[in-house]
Amino acid sequence: FTNKAVNEMKHRILNSLFEFSKTTSIEDANPLFNDIVNETNYTFEDLPSLSKLRLKQILHNYAFFDISTIDKFTHRLIRTFAKDLKIPQNFEVVLDVDLLLQEA
């Protein structure tokens, strides 16, 4: 899951919301649209307007539209709670398994 994949996911989310906002008939609806209607409490009539609203909110606050890799999320979470975890706030992630085993 790379930064390129993160950008692709953002693009897919925005495209889906745009497509959902334009849906006018259940026959023409995207399968994902139908899945959301079937799995949630949203009605067919509600989902297009809600999608339009969410798309507008994301675009007006794009800097806060944060999609990240699980590694980046975990790293940020650990750094936030570094003091509580009793680890240095400037810790480094070591991906060298041999070095890690030597230091253990």
Side-chain angles (χ1 to χ4, degrees), residues 22-39:
K22 300 297 182 193
T23 301
T24 56
S25 73
I26 197 117
E27 295 81 25
D28 297 331
N30 180 306
L32 182 58
F33 181 98
N34 290 326
D35 288 343
I36 292 171
V37 168
N38 292 330
E39 298 292 329

Side-chain angles (χ1 to χ4, degrees), residues 87-98:
I87 59 175
Q89 219 164 359
N90 61 345
F91 71 92
E92 290 185 33
V93 176
V94 177
L95 299 176
D96 184 348
V97 176
D98 295 330

Side-chain angles (χ1 to χ4, degrees), residues 38-73:
N38 292 330
E39 298 292 329
T40 66
N41 292 326
Y42 297 120
T43 65
F44 173 79
E45 294 76 21
D46 293 337
L47 196 53
S49 59
L50 182 61
S51 299
K52 184 177 182 178
L53 174 65
R54 295 296 177 243
L55 180 60
K56 183 178 178 181
Q57 289 172 330
I58 289 170
L59 293 176
H60 284 279
N61 298 290
Y62 195 77
F64 298 103
F65 181 40
D66 190 28
I67 304 289
S68 66
T69 65
I70 191 69
D71 291 343
K72 185 176 178 182
F73 171 77

